């Protein structure tokens, strides 16, 4: 989400004569695009701002801006405690950026715009994308789900969707610009809803764009994962067999206190339904441990659901209290050591499940999109299967952006190792 917003901001700036510099010490303007989802994310921004302050001490004309969710959440705090910050802009105010830079040059006072909008979806502003094979396309903004632990509905405002037409146009442009993969983005991608149709209609329309080799989307909410979406996924070759399905917790009381709107039984049934529709699907998840009041017995049920589902991978988090959210007001917060202990248990179990799922791939031939050079050596590529598993393999005359058949030979940690199938040998066999 943040990468996509940064690319949008980059697009706005580069269309108006600004250029990226490789040397931050020479920059005229430094913007930090921020995330407020967990305390850790905020801590990182505070320490970055410390560095930018040092740069500004040496070069006082440098404009420093704090953009995005943290700007929304901590605006007064930033303006008071960080006088070297010139501009504070919330996630719905990026169109105001150039005005602000211009007035900042004249006024030399701190400027702020953090109004949230019911309508802003940045229609028709083309992002300036980073290099790579994947183009992020933001299809909707905001969230109306109000999970009690989550700050997003407060920092990014109400849910609103872009038109299918403008998303399709952006997908066409991404193909022209040479991107092999498109990832549709939103806080709740599958509650996408625009006058001309819902998420399944959008997926179908993007899949039909000529030249789109791969489509992914993230993150869907289990509540809105419909059979229609699964049917569209199985209908189109170019929609990846992969779903990120955030569980958060495996106990019904905890799920209720989180306001997640599904039970553990609903979640397990949904996974069964997904695997029936898409037999080769990869499923990953998000898990929060140590939500306020979570007992040891309740926590064990998260492990139970994990054992039933055996996710391919999981992003695991210790609950982090976010001021302004409902759960922050609960009076039964857990000790840090308890959260840490539970986190380690979840990570350990997930490691086993990832290995279990990955071993099923040995001897398979998988179509892998070549994405970058492997950290292992300059002779190897790293790429992903359509089920979202990283594969390391020899380069043998292939290029970044190609989709190539790879025989999986072994599993190491979370990655697979393989060799490119020699097409001529394959045809001769
Ligand atoms: N919209 C997505 C996720 C957005 S945030 C969804 O509904 O699933 C990404 C992940 O961060 C969440 O899935 C959750 O696991 C984690 N997260 C959000 N708020 C958190 C908090 N206060 N403490 C710990 N993890 C949190
Ligand atoms: Fe946050 Fe819940 Fe919305 Fe996801 S669905 S962004 S976790 S409130």
């Amino acid at each position: 989400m943040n990468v996509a917003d940064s690319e949008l901001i980059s697009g706005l700036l580069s269309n108006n004569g600004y250029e990226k510099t490789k040397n931050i010490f020479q920059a005229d303007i430094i913007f930090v695009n921020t995330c407020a989802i967990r305390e850790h994310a905020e801590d990182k921004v505070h320490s970055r701002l410390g560095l930018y302050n040092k740069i500004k001490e040496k070069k006082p004309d440098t404009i420093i801006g704090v953009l995005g969710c943290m700007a929304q959440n901590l605006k007064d705090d930033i303006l008071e405690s960080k006088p070297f910050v010139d501009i504070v802009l919330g996630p719905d105010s990026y169109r105001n950026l150039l005005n602000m830079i211009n007035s900042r040059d004249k006024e030399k006072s701190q400027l702020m715009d953090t109004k949230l909008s019911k309508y802003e979806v940045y229609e028709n502003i083309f992002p300036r994308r980073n290099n790579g094979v994947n183009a992020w396309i933001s299809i909707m903004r905001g969230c109306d789900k109000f999970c009690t632990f989550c700050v997003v509905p407060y920092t990014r405002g109400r849910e609103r969707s872009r038109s299918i037409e403008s998303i399709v146009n952006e997908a066409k442009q991404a193909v022209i610009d040479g991107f092999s993969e498109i990832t549709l983005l939103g806080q709740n991608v599958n509650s996408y809803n625009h006058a001309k149709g819902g998420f399944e209609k959008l997926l179908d329309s993007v899949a039909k764009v000529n030249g789109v080799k791969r489509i992914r989307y993230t993150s869907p909410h289990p509540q809105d994962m419909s059979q229609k979406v699964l049917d569209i996924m199985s209908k189109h070759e170019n929609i990846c067999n992969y779903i990120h399905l955030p569980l958060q917790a495996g106990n019904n009381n905890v799920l209720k206190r989180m306001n997640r709107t599904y039970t553990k039984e609903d979640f397990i049934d949904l996974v069964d339904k997904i695997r029936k529709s898409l037999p080769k699907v990869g499923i990953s998840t998000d898990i929060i441990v140590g939500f306020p009041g979570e007992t040891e017995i309740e926590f064990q049920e998260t492990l139970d659901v994990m054992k039933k589902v055996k996710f391919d991978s999981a992003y695991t988090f210790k609950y982090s209290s976010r001021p302004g959210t409902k759960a922050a007001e609960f009076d039964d917060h857990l000790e840090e050591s308890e959260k840490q202990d539970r986190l380690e248990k979840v990570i350990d179990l997930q490691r086993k499940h990832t290995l279990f799922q990955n071993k099923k791939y040995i001897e398979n031939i998988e179509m892998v999109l070549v994405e970058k050079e492997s950290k292992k050596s300059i002779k190897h590529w790293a790429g992903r299967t359509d089920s979202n598993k990283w594969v390391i393999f020899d380069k043998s005359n292939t290029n970044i952006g190609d989709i190539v058949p790879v025989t999986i030979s072994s599993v190491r940690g979370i990655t697979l190792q393989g060799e490119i199938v020699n097409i001529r040998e394959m045809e001769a066999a």
Side-chain angles (χ1 to χ4, degrees), residues 178-406:
F179 290 93
S180 300
E181 183 177 88
I182 280 170
T183 304
L184 305 177
L185 272 185
Q187 290 301 339
N188 279 297
V189 270
N190 54 345
S191 56
Y192 171 90
N193 192 7
H194 200 265
K196 288 197 180 140
F199 186 58
E200 67 279 356
K201 176 79 195 295
L202 173 72
L203 260 187
D204 196 42
S205 310
V206 175
K208 287 178 183 154
V209 170
N210 262 340
V212 177
K213 292 191 201 160
R214 277 191 172 179
I215 300 162
R216 298 184 188 278
Y217 61 87
T218 197
S219 286
H221 190 291
Q223 180 195 313
D224 302 316
M225 200 65 225
S226 68
Q227 185 62 47
K228 280 187 195 155
V229 167
L230 298 174
D231 291 344
I232 295 290
M233 288 178 74
S234 67
K235 177 175 139 192
H236 290 284
E237 267 291 292
N238 58 356
I239 305 181
C240 288
N241 258 314
Y242 167 67
I243 297 181
H244 180 67
L245 199 66
L247 167 66
Q248 313 297 6
N251 168 271
N252 287 342
N253 268 326
V254 175
L255 286 169
K256 197 158 186 199
R257 294 204 302 277
M258 288 178 160
N259 192 30
R260 284 297 288 183
T261 69
Y262 51 85
T263 62
K264 87 171 186 192
E265 292 78 15
D266 295 336
F267 189 93
I268 292 168
D269 286 351
L270 178 58
V271 169
D272 286 345
K273 190 163 120 181
I274 291 172
R275 287 188 169 143
K276 263 200 198 97
S277 294
L278 308 164
K280 287 189 67 191
V281 71
I283 302 181
S284 60
T285 197
D286 289 344
I287 290 173
I288 298 178
V289 298
F291 184 74
E294 185 188 62
T295 64
E296 181 59 31
I297 294 173
E298 288 172 339
F299 167 65
Q300 287 297 326
E301 284 190 59
T302 296
L303 300 180
D304 290 345
V305 177
M306 289 174 71
K307 284 177 198 163
K308 280 220 168 68
V309 172
K310 294 201 176 60
F311 295 105
D312 290 82
S313 65
Y315 299 91
T316 52
F317 309 104
K318 286 186 275 190
Y319 168 75
S320 166
S321 180
R322 303 287 59 217
T325 59
K326 240 183 169 174
E329 307 293 313
F330 294 174
D331 54 13
D332 41 7
H333 287 249
L334 271 69
E335 290 293 328
E336 188 59 25
S337 57
E338 188 72 47
K339 291 192 226 171
Q340 184 60 32
D341 194 48
R342 290 181 188 176
L343 183 70
E344 283 165 22
K345 287 187 178 130
V346 164
I347 292 173
D348 265 2
L349 184 62
Q350 184 53 49
R351 201 171 286 136
K352 289 187 188 128
H353 292 161
T354 300
L355 198 62
F356 169 83
Q357 295 290 11
N358 285 0
K359 278 188 174 164
K360 292 184 187 166
Y361 282 68
I362 293 179
E363 292 182 12
N364 279 8
I365 296 180
E366 292 291 323
M367 298 310 289
V368 178
L369 171 61
V370 181
E371 297 194 27
K372 57 187 180 189
E373 199 161 81
S374 157
K375 286 186 203 127
K376 179 177 152 183
S377 84
I378 53 163
K379 290 188 183 152
H380 289 82
W381 290 132
R384 278 178 298 168
T385 64
D386 84 337
S387 60
N388 207 34
K389 304 213 175 260
W390 281 99
V391 187
I392 311 292
F393 53 100
D394 50 295
K395 286 186 175 172
S396 52
N397 294 330
T398 54
N399 296 306
I400 289 181
D402 292 348
I403 295 183
V404 294
V406 178

Side-chain angles (χ1 to χ4, degrees), residues 143 145-147 149-150 152-153 187-188 221 260:
C143 177
K145 293 277 196 288
F146 287 93
C147 302
F149 52 82
C150 183
V152 168
Q187 290 301 339
N188 279 297
H221 190 291
R260 284 297 288 183

Side-chain angles (χ1 to χ4, degrees), residues 50-63:
L51 168 71
Y52 301 160
N53 187 22
K54 292 242 148 55
I55 295 175
K56 190 164 176 150
E57 278 168 9
K58 294 216 169 84
K59 195 167 167 278
D61 283 344
T62 316
I63 295 179

